[in-house]
Amino acid sequence: MKVLIVEDEKPSARRLQRMLEKMDIEVNTMLHSVEESIAWFKENSHPDLIFLDIQLSDGLSFEIFEAVSISSAIIFTTAYDEYALKAFKLNSIDYLLKPIDQDELEAAVNKYKTRLPEKQHVTLDFNAIKQLLVNPIERSYKKRFSVKVGQHLKLIHSDDIECVYSENKGTYLYTTQGRNYLIDTSLEDLEFELEPHVFFRVNRKFYVNINAIKDMVSYTNSRLEIKLNTYNDYEIIVARERVKAFKNWLE
């Protein structure tokens, strides 16, 4: 199986390469920009499977497909986690949210393998998905959550949530009043319920509210530490693979 990685952040590309090697999958080539990728695809036979980052240093990776016809299967890798990415689930092999998890990577590759020996074709409407990413259609997000407190139900308004985090297989809301509340929703499901301009998933464990950020401090390995107005139970670190998307989100 010929595998190609297109990723502008070289440490992320090497990390993904190591993760694939653990699965006895050899990565034949790594590319790092739209321009480099277009040139490579024009001169080389195309691989069986491409791990493709959406946002590259010189533009969206969809621009590659505007210049070259590609029939390889694709697994998207991305720091975006907005609802528009549902389109990838419906039309492509899979997408992986950075930082990539080994189990999720294995599941995506196994999903690809189950489709063999069928010929893979890129059938995505890239222009439509590109438009969704740049100008998402208007939709409503949850304004409040109902939580159980003893025998009572309590309403928590989204404006009063500093962060949402997972711990011991549970998902918790942390409020501006310094209270934790367990909810019956996973972080993955919240991806399509939280307002993306207000809440950002900084790592696999935390969503933070932009209005609750008190300070941002440089951290080891090009990461950022987020300090919130009230929450201080655990360090909140922006994963290195998500720092670029996080800075874009802040603006």
Side-chain angles (χ1 to χ4, degrees):
M1 182 169 65
K2 294 182 179 179
V3 176
L4 169 70
I5 293 175
V6 181
E7 164 66 68
D8 65 329
E9 296 181 353
K10 293 183 180 180
S12 296
R14 289 193 293 269
R15 178 175 181 269
L16 177 55
Q17 181 184 33
R18 290 193 297 270
M19 294 173 74
L20 288 166
E21 287 173 349
K22 289 182 181 178
M23 301 164 59
D24 295 322
I25 295 175
E26 181 181 355
V27 177
N28 306 93
T29 306
M30 290 193 288
L31 305 172
H32 306 291
S33 69
V34 171
E35 183 179 2
E36 181 186 16
S37 298
I38 290 173
W40 188 91
F41 281 115
K42 286 182 176 179
E43 298 294 330
N44 295 273
S45 59
H46 297 178
D48 300 303
L49 178 61
I50 303 171
F51 287 89
L52 181 67
D53 187 16
I54 293 175
Q55 181 69 58
L56 300 173
S57 57
D58 57 346
L60 292 173
S61 59
F62 302 129
E63 296 171 25
I64 298 170
F65 301 93
E66 295 170 359
V68 185
S69 177
I70 296 175
S71 61
S72 308
I74 298 173
I75 296 176
F76 290 94
T77 62
T78 178
Y80 289 99
D81 59 350
E82 291 156 353
Y83 75 96
L85 297 185
K86 272 289 188 183
F88 299 138
K89 287 288 188 184
L90 298 175
N91 294 284
S92 68
I93 299 301
D94 213 338
Y95 80 86
L96 297 170
L97 181 63
K98 297 179 182 180
I100 295 172
D101 177 79
Q102 185 74 43
D103 291 339
E104 292 179 3
L105 173 62
E106 292 179 6
V109 172
N110 288 335
K111 184 177 178 181
Y112 159 74
K113 288 180 177 179
T114 61
R115 295 193 178 187
L116 295 176
E118 298 176 12
K119 181 65 176 175
Q120 303 284 337
H121 289 284
V122 178
T123 58
L124 283 168
D125 185 341
F126 291 106
N127 287 330
I129 297 174
K130 181 178 178 180
Q131 194 65 27
L132 280 173
L133 290 170
V134 176
N135 297 303
I137 58 176
E138 290 298 321
R139 60 161 292 169
S140 59
Y141 296 93
K142 292 193 73 164
K143 301 298 182 185
R144 53 190 173 273
F145 293 82
S146 61
V147 297
K148 189 173 182 180
V149 182
Q151 299 301 313
H152 301 269
L153 284 178
K154 180 180 177 65
L155 286 178
I156 306 295
H157 290 269
S158 59
D159 291 342
D160 296 326
I161 299 171
E162 281 202 358
C163 63
V164 186
Y165 65 94
S166 62
E167 184 178 16
N168 297 326
K169 298 184 179 180
T171 304
Y172 296 85
L173 306 178
Y174 185 90
T175 70
T176 53
Q177 290 77 38
R179 294 285 305 276
N180 291 300
Y181 297 97
L182 179 66
I183 59 174
D184 295 326
T185 307
S186 69
L187 287 188
E188 285 67 32
D189 290 337
L190 285 174
E191 173 182 340
F192 307 104
E193 297 183 353
L194 294 173
E195 166 59 60
H197 298 297
V198 178
F199 290 91
F200 187 89
R201 192 170 182 178
V202 296
N203 55 43
R204 303 204 72 82
K205 184 175 179 179
F206 276 93
Y207 275 99
V208 299
N209 185 332
I210 192 169
N211 299 307
I213 296 176
K214 179 173 62 176
D215 197 9
M216 293 170 281
V217 184
S218 295
Y219 202 74
T220 57
N221 295 325
S222 302
R223 295 175 294 172
L224 289 172
E225 180 180 4
I226 305 299
K227 296 184 182 296
L228 302 181
N229 292 328
T230 306
Y231 181 89
N232 59 10
D233 292 350
Y234 297 97
E235 289 183 330
I236 302 177
I237 308 299
V238 183
R240 182 170 60 185
E241 295 89 346
R242 311 223 68 204
V243 168
K244 182 168 66 174
F246 176 72
K247 289 180 178 179
N248 291 336
W249 173 74
L250 291 174
E251 299 174 358

